[in-house]
């Protein structure tokens, strides 16, 4: 037969099964105009390893020939030949995967009902691909479901296998053509969850029909709000919102159960073994010459395999297949997308790949997502990322610690994608909420905290229980470096929320599928709670760590964003830092912290003055006004700063409840002679080094370092400004001069 001839021709010259990739396109090679030639890697004299591989290939050929010819019902127990060939298929499949030509034979015999369910089950479980699965083999296998030759359990197992290996199927157009056939299986309650999962992967806009929506609604009325039905309805509603009028839960959840069974582990084993046995340049797995991760095809290149086995005509066949695909379906194949100009020319008929994971490493497709804003694409991507994170988390999945580096790389890729698209993924949010209580704060620390910075807007109650509480426990019990990393992450989270607000300020409708707090009041409340949370953990951390400058720097960095929210981000909210942050910064031994605090207070003043002027000039009542408490706190802090740095009266005039005010009798007991001037710009511990250097220049003959010689503060201030203390400069010019002149 033609199939036998095809398999026989593949035996000359003999090659190990795992490098039989002539019928598969390698995009990285085709783009450069070159071709791969596995024959060059073979030796003139076969080694014992080559002979062993040839022997295994011969055994597989014999097994495939046997299963292709089997006609009548054969008992497994009474037939040693069947046992031998079945064992051969299982052994080779688990060791190196099956070649593409093997799937047609094994699927046909497993679904034809010729053999017992025990044998059919073992055959289906051994269908582990070494490279790709021909779409024609899947179509042929599905045709057996029409005649009901196999049992319901075998049909169910076949659907689970199809979902697991979906990304390995080439020419999915043939499988897409069976959409209506798969849809008819929804009436089977056992198969319905898996059919919905498969339809979810296959659905396009043209797949959405009114009769299908009615059928899904009928099933939902009959079976209840099942997550797999909600998934398909949600996708239909994204494509055709005018047809699906019911309200569906907006929050993404785990729609489908794990369908991967024994295949995923076997696929990963085959991939690792194939990568270990061959040079990177010869790796055929998943049709790429790049090193691959064991995870689901998240970094696989976008490849549509060619059907020809003639390597000389590989490029010609690839172009022909792509042109036929485009002309037949008016879609531009993504594997031909090579530059931004092509993206612009074909943006209206570009079809996204079924392998959503491959989008993460393709900048052109990420640009497409940004331009088109197709919510179905986001929904597919969220689903895929959520499933992968859930199944591959190295501290949530048993025996997964050995793959921590690969999981770390995957998290890094997801973070880069979020940064590229400038929005957080709800699937990452759900993953963080589930895993942070189990996280040790060490594994993948940098990647996890980066993902935290892109958490989408959520309600405070949800964030408090799932983010703030577990993060606070780790924060207080971890190192100084971890505390600083958390503060940096939360600062970036605040900036991302504020940037989101600026971008969508004038938007009448929110196009993000993940945002629940789209109103201004919702944003203000969530941002306020984040700022209060950071203020609380910062106050406690400064006490625990004894006010280190390194920690104070990250805390003040956060408040540099907070102090400018009104003018820079147009958010009607300002929150002063707590006293536990303000006073350690004011009395810091380091000039960097003091200079930073001066700049922050200058920006607070600028924002508060602008808000007050705006409030007075508006004729209509504003929706948001700064509370009198905010102005009161600012005034208290300003009095304390002016009293310290300028008028030397902080101990007498500081009116903050947690401030510096102390009785003279108590101050005299400190035995400090000039306690009143202890914190002005000359004697302040953070400024004393500058005062010494200034004296050396102004009075080079004086060796007593008598700071009382610094009487003309204007000269001293000019010296300080020249040293780069810009924060001190703008603070003095905006606040201290004004206060001193008024007095």
């Amino acid at each position: 037969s033609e199939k036998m001839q095809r398999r026989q021709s593949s035996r000359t010259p003999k090659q190990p099964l795992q490098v039989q990739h002539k019928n598969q396109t390698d995009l990285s090679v085709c783009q450069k105009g070159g071709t791969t030639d596995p024959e060059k890697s073979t030796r003139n004299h076969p080694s014992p390893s080559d002979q062993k591989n040839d022997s295994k290939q011969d055994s597989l050929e014999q097994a495939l020939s046997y299963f292709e010819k089997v006609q009548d019902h054969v008992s497994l127990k009474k037939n040693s030949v069947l046992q031998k060939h079945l064992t051969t298929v299982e052994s080779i499949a688990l060791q190196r995967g099956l070649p593409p030509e093997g799937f047609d034979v094994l699927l046909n015999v497993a679904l034809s009902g010729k053999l017992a369910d025990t044998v059919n089950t073992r055959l289906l479980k051994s269908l582990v691909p070494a490279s790709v699965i021909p779409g024609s083999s899947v179509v042929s296998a599905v045709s057996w479901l029409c005649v009901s030759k196999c049992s319901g359990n075998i049909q169910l197992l076949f659907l689970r296998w199809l979902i697991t290996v979906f990304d390995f199927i080439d020419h999915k157009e043939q499988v897409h053509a069976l959409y209506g056939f798969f849809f008819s299986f929804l009436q089977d309650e056992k198969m319905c969850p898996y059919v919905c999962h498969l339809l979810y992967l296959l659905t396009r806009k043209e797949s959405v029909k009114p009769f299908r929506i009615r059928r899904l609604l009928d099933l939902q009325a009959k079976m209840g709000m099942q997550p797999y039905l909600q998934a398909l309805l949600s996708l239909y509603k994204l494509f055709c919102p005018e047809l699906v009028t019911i309200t569906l839960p907006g929050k993404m959840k785990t729609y489908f159960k794990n369908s991967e069974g024994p295949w995923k582990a076997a696929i990963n084993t085959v991939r690792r073994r194939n990568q270990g046995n061959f040079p990177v340049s010869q790796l055929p797995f998943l049709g790429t010459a790049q090193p691959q991760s064991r995870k689901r095809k998240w970094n696989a290149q976008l490849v549509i395999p060619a059907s020809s086995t003639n390597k000389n005509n590989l490029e010609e066949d690839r172009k022909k297949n792509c042109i036929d695909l485009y002309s037949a379906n008016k879609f531009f194949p993504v594997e031909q997308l090579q530059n931004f100009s092509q993206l612009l020319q074909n943006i209206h008929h570009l079809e996204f790949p079924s392998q959503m994971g491959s989008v993460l490493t393709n900048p052109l497709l990420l640009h497409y997502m940004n331009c088109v804003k197709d919510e179905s694409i986001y929904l597919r991507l969220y689903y895929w990322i959520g499933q992968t994170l859930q199944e591959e988390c190295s501290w949530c999945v048993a025996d997964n610690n050995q793959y921590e580096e690969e999981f770390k790389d995957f998290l890094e890729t997801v973070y880069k994608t979020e940064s590229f698209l400038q929005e957080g993924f709800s699937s990452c949010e759900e993953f963080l909420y589930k895993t942070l209580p189990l996280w040790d704060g060490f594994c993948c620390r940098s990647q996890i905290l980066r993902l935290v910075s892109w958490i989408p807007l959520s309600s405070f109650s949800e964030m408090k229980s799932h983010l703030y509480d577990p993060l606070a426990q780790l924060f207080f019990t971890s190192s100084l470096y971890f505390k600083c990393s958390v503060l940096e992450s939360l600062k970036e989270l605040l900036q991302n929320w504020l940037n989101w607000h600026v971008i969508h300020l004038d938007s009448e409708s929110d196009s993000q599928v993940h945002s629940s707090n789209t109103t201004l009041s919702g944003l203000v409340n969530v941002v306020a709670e984040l700022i209060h949370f950071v203020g609380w953990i910062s106050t406690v951390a400064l006490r625990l760590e004894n006010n280190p400058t390194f920690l104070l720097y990250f805390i003040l960095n956060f408040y540099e964003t907070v102090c400018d929210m009104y003018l820079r981000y147009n958010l009607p909210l300002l929150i002063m830092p707590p006293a536990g942050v303000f006073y350690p910064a004011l009395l810091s031994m380091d000039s960097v912290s003091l200079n930073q605090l001066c700049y922050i207070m200058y920006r607070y003043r600028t924002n508060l003055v602008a808000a007050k002027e705006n409030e007075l000039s508006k004729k209509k009542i504003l929706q948001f006004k700064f509370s009198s408490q905010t102005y009161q706190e600012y005034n208290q802090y300003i009095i304390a700063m002016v009293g310290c740095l300028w008028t030397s009266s902080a101990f007498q005039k500081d009116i903050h409840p947690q401030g510096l005010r102390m009785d003279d009798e108590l101050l005299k007991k400190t035995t400090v002679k000039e306690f009143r001037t202890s914190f002005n710009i000359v004697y302040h511990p953070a400024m004393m080094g500058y005062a010494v250097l200034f004296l050396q220049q102004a009075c080079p003959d004086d060796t007593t370092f008598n700071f009382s010689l610094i009487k003309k503060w204007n000269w001293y201030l000019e010296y300080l400004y020249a040293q780069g203390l810009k924060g001190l400069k703008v603070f003095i010019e905006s606040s201290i001069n004004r206060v001193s002149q008024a007095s």
Side-chain angles (χ1 to χ4, degrees):
S1 67
E2 181 182 351
K3 298 173 186 174
M4 286 297 295
Q5 291 175 1
R6 183 171 67 248
R7 290 202 303 275
Q8 290 296 332
S9 65
S10 67
R11 297 176 59 183
T12 307
K14 289 183 178 179
Q15 298 279 342
L17 284 175
Q18 61 265 35
V19 295
Q20 289 285 335
H21 60 291
K22 292 183 180 180
N23 65 331
Q24 185 176 346
T25 299
D26 189 332
L27 184 61
S28 62
V29 175
C30 294
Q31 287 177 344
K32 298 176 182 179
T35 57
T36 58
D37 190 354
E39 294 176 0
K40 291 182 180 180
S41 64
T42 60
R43 301 177 180 177
N44 294 331
H45 302 285
S47 65
S49 176
D50 293 333
Q51 294 176 356
K52 183 178 179 181
N53 288 333
D54 289 344
S55 175
K56 288 186 176 181
Q57 181 174 342
D58 289 337
S59 299
L60 180 60
E61 293 291 345
Q62 294 173 11
L64 293 178
S65 178
Y66 170 81
F67 283 116
E68 186 174 37
K69 294 178 181 178
V70 67
Q71 295 294 334
D72 302 324
H73 189 86
V74 181
S75 173
L76 179 62
K77 294 182 180 179
K78 299 179 181 179
N79 194 315
S80 59
V81 178
L82 174 58
Q83 294 178 7
K84 172 188 172 183
H85 292 314
L86 182 58
T87 303
T88 298
V89 170
E90 290 176 324
S91 175
I92 293 178
L94 295 177
Q95 287 180 8
R96 59 186 62 186
L98 297 175
E101 60 267 22
F103 288 92
D104 194 37
V105 175
L106 297 178
L107 282 171
N108 280 331
V109 71
L111 298 175
S112 64
K114 296 177 181 178
L115 302 176
D117 274 7
T118 305
V119 180
N120 296 333
T121 300
R122 291 174 61 179
L123 284 175
L124 287 175
K125 288 183 177 180
S126 66
L127 296 180
V128 179
S131 56
V132 295
I133 300 171
S136 58
S137 299
V138 176
V139 174
S140 176
V142 172
S143 67
W144 283 106
L145 303 183
C146 302
V147 295
S148 302
K149 291 287 186 179
C150 56
S151 65
N153 290 334
I154 296 300
Q155 293 181 16
L156 203 62
L157 190 63
F158 169 70
L159 285 178
R160 292 176 57 196
W161 172 80
L162 195 56
I163 294 167
T164 304
V165 301
F166 186 79
D167 287 349
F168 290 88
I169 302 172
D170 70 344
H171 299 297
K172 291 188 176 64
E173 291 302 314
Q174 302 176 44
V175 184
H176 276 287
L178 300 174
Y179 191 95
F181 175 78
F182 288 123
F183 194 89
S184 66
F185 276 87
L186 288 174
Q187 60 189 359
D188 189 312
E189 290 190 12
K190 290 184 178 180
M191 297 178 67
C192 187
Y194 301 103
V195 173
C196 285
H197 194 163
L198 182 58
L199 292 174
Y200 189 92
L201 298 174
L202 289 171
T203 298
R204 298 171 176 169
K205 187 170 184 178
E206 60 268 24
S207 306
V208 183
K209 306 292 183 183
F211 74 91
R212 288 177 179 154
I213 296 174
R214 288 194 296 270
R215 180 60 180 156
L216 288 175
L217 294 176
D218 290 342
L219 286 172
Q220 184 171 263
K222 177 183 177 182
M223 304 169 63
M225 294 285 287
Q226 300 298 332
Y228 44 87
L229 293 175
Q230 290 180 28
L232 204 51
L233 282 169
S234 298
L235 193 57
Y236 280 14
K237 187 168 186 175
L238 287 176
F239 280 126
C240 301
E242 71 281 1
L243 297 180
V244 184
T245 57
I246 65 169
T247 302
L248 295 169
K251 187 72 174 176
M252 205 283 288
K253 58 189 296 187
T254 304
Y255 289 130
F256 307 110
K257 295 180 180 179
N258 189 345
S259 305
E260 293 172 340
W263 300 288
K264 181 192 168 191
I267 290 172
N268 291 334
T269 301
V270 169
R271 175 181 293 181
R272 292 195 300 272
R273 183 175 289 116
N274 287 349
Q275 288 179 343
N277 294 340
F278 294 91
V280 171
S281 60
Q282 296 181 7
L283 286 178
F285 200 72
L286 281 180
T288 174
Q290 300 293 330
Q292 293 282 328
S293 166
R294 68 180 267 276
K295 310 303 175 197
R296 276 179 203 243
K297 290 69 66 182
W298 65 268
N299 60 348
Q301 295 185 16
L302 300 173
V303 178
I304 293 185
S307 59
S308 172
T309 58
N310 185 347
K311 84 179 165 186
N312 295 325
N313 296 327
L314 187 62
E315 179 69 13
E316 180 182 348
D317 289 339
R318 183 185 69 83
K319 291 181 179 178
K320 179 180 178 182
N321 287 335
C322 293
I323 293 172
D324 290 344
L325 181 63
Y326 171 65
S327 60
N329 298 278
K330 297 182 180 180
F331 288 126
F332 183 81
V334 291
E335 83 283 357
Q336 285 189 347
L337 192 63
Q338 299 179 8
N339 52 56
F340 198 74
S341 298
Q342 284 184 331
L343 174 64
L344 295 178
Q345 292 170 5
N346 301 281
I347 196 168
H348 295 298
H349 49 262
L350 183 70
E351 182 185 18
F352 249 57
S354 299
Q355 307 96 318
M356 287 306 297
S358 57
V359 175
L360 299 181
T361 53
N362 192 313
L364 292 176
L365 293 183
L366 293 178
H367 276 300
Y368 175 82
M369 290 181 66
N370 254 342
C371 295
V372 176
K373 292 297 182 184
D374 186 342
E375 294 182 349
S376 65
I377 295 175
Y378 282 88
L379 193 62
R380 287 179 183 273
L381 187 61
Y382 293 166
Y383 162 70
W384 183 87
I385 291 176
Q387 290 289 106
T388 305
L389 289 172
Q390 178 183 346
E391 295 160 6
E392 307 299 344
C393 179
S394 51
W395 62 87
C396 294
V397 180
D399 302 325
N400 223 17
N401 292 330
Q402 57 182 318
Y403 305 118
E404 179 181 332
E405 287 302 319
E406 295 182 20
F407 184 61
K408 186 182 297 184
D409 292 340
F410 175 67
L411 293 179
E412 188 72 26
T413 302
V414 173
Y415 165 74
K416 290 179 180 178
T417 304
E418 289 184 318
S419 300
F420 187 97
L421 297 174
Q422 286 294 293
E423 61 179 290
F425 297 158
S426 59
S427 51
C428 293
E429 175 192 16
E430 183 179 1
F431 162 74
L432 291 171
Y433 287 173
K434 286 183 178 180
T435 58
L436 279 179
L438 307 174
W439 186 42
D440 60 2
F442 180 78
C443 179
C444 306
R445 173 191 294 175
S446 176
Q447 290 73 28
I448 291 297
L449 292 180
R450 286 179 177 181
L451 289 182
V452 167
S453 68
W454 279 109
I455 290 180
L457 286 167
S458 303
S459 64
F460 169 69
S461 59
E462 187 173 24
M463 296 196 71
K464 182 182 184 305
S465 59
H466 293 107
L467 176 65
Y468 296 155
D469 290 349
L471 206 56
Q473 293 180 8
L474 287 170
F475 183 86
F476 295 138
T477 57
S478 297
S479 65
L480 173 64
Y481 177 77
F482 180 83
K483 291 181 174 68
C484 295
S485 300
V486 170
L487 289 169
E488 180 68 15
S489 176
L490 294 177
K491 183 200 77 172
E492 293 177 0
L493 175 63
L494 175 62
Q495 287 178 334
N496 289 333
W497 284 354
L498 295 174
N499 288 332
W500 179 92
H501 168 65
V502 171
I503 293 172
H504 296 85
L505 190 62
D506 299 324
S507 177
E508 294 181 359
S509 61
D510 182 17
S511 62
Q512 309 295 323
V513 298
H514 57 260
S515 298
S516 57
N517 288 291
T518 57
T519 63
L520 184 59
S521 60
L523 177 66
V524 168
N525 292 335
V526 174
V527 169
E529 294 299 342
L530 172 61
I531 296 172
H532 288 311
F533 172 72
V534 172
W536 170 61
I537 63 174
S538 298
T539 300
V540 177
L542 287 170
R543 294 175 182 173
L544 290 174
E545 302 290 345
N546 197 21
N547 301 328
T549 301
F550 188 59
L551 177 62
L552 194 56
Y553 171 80
F554 285 92
I555 295 173
L556 294 178
N557 262 1
F558 179 84
Y559 280 98
E560 277 193 28
T561 301
V562 174
C563 69
D564 238 355
M565 290 190 301
Y566 181 74
L567 288 179
R568 186 174 181 182
Y569 299 100
N570 204 14
L571 187 72
L573 177 68
L574 278 181
I575 297 177
M576 301 300 299
V581 169
F582 172 80
Y583 285 102
L586 178 60
L587 305 180
S588 172
M589 303 284 287
D590 184 79
S591 60
V592 174
S593 299
L594 182 61
N595 184 64
Q596 221 175 344
L597 178 65
C598 289
Y599 175 78
I600 289 171
M601 295 305 294
Y602 160 72
R603 292 308 302 170
Y604 268 120
R605 178 184 183 277
T606 305
N607 279 258
L608 287 169
V609 169
K612 178 61 70 174
E613 291 176 351
N614 189 39
E615 181 181 332
L616 295 176
S617 64
K618 292 287 185 181
K619 295 182 180 180
K620 62 179 181 179
I621 301 177
L622 297 178
Q623 182 181 2
F624 293 94
K625 293 182 181 179
F626 293 151
S627 67
S628 58
Q629 182 182 356
T630 302
Y631 291 101
Q632 181 181 354
E633 282 185 316
Y634 171 79
N635 290 332
Q636 291 173 344
Y637 286 160
I638 282 295
I639 291 173
M641 288 189 70
V642 172
C644 274
L645 300 176
W646 197 259
T647 62
S648 302
S649 58
F651 297 119
Q652 291 76 34
K653 295 186 177 181
D654 190 349
I655 58 174
H656 194 280
Q658 296 175 259
L660 302 176
R661 186 182 183 90
M662 285 185 279
D663 294 333
D664 287 348
E665 295 298 325
L666 180 62
L667 290 169
K668 289 177 182 178
K669 292 180 181 180
T670 63
T671 68
V672 177
K673 294 182 180 179
E674 300 294 335
F675 59 82
R676 295 181 185 274
T677 61
S678 296
F679 292 100
N680 66 25
I681 57 174
V682 176
Y683 291 92
H684 195 293
M687 309 301 296
M688 199 171 291
Y690 293 106
V692 171
L693 294 175
F694 177 75
L695 273 178
Q696 288 178 343
Q697 295 183 20
C699 306
D701 298 332
D702 179 68
T703 58
T704 61
F705 298 115
N706 184 5
F707 292 160
S708 61
L709 295 176
I710 306 178
K711 296 181 179 180
K712 295 186 176 181
W713 278 19
N714 288 337
W715 292 1
Y716 179 53
L717 287 176
E718 292 299 327
Y719 172 78
L720 294 178
Y721 300 160
Q723 303 306 307
L725 299 178
K726 303 301 181 183
L728 180 68
K729 181 177 185 293
V730 294
F731 175 76
I732 288 178
E733 290 178 350
S734 64
S735 298
I736 289 184
N737 283 344
R738 180 180 57 82
V739 172
S740 60
Q741 289 171 4
S743 62

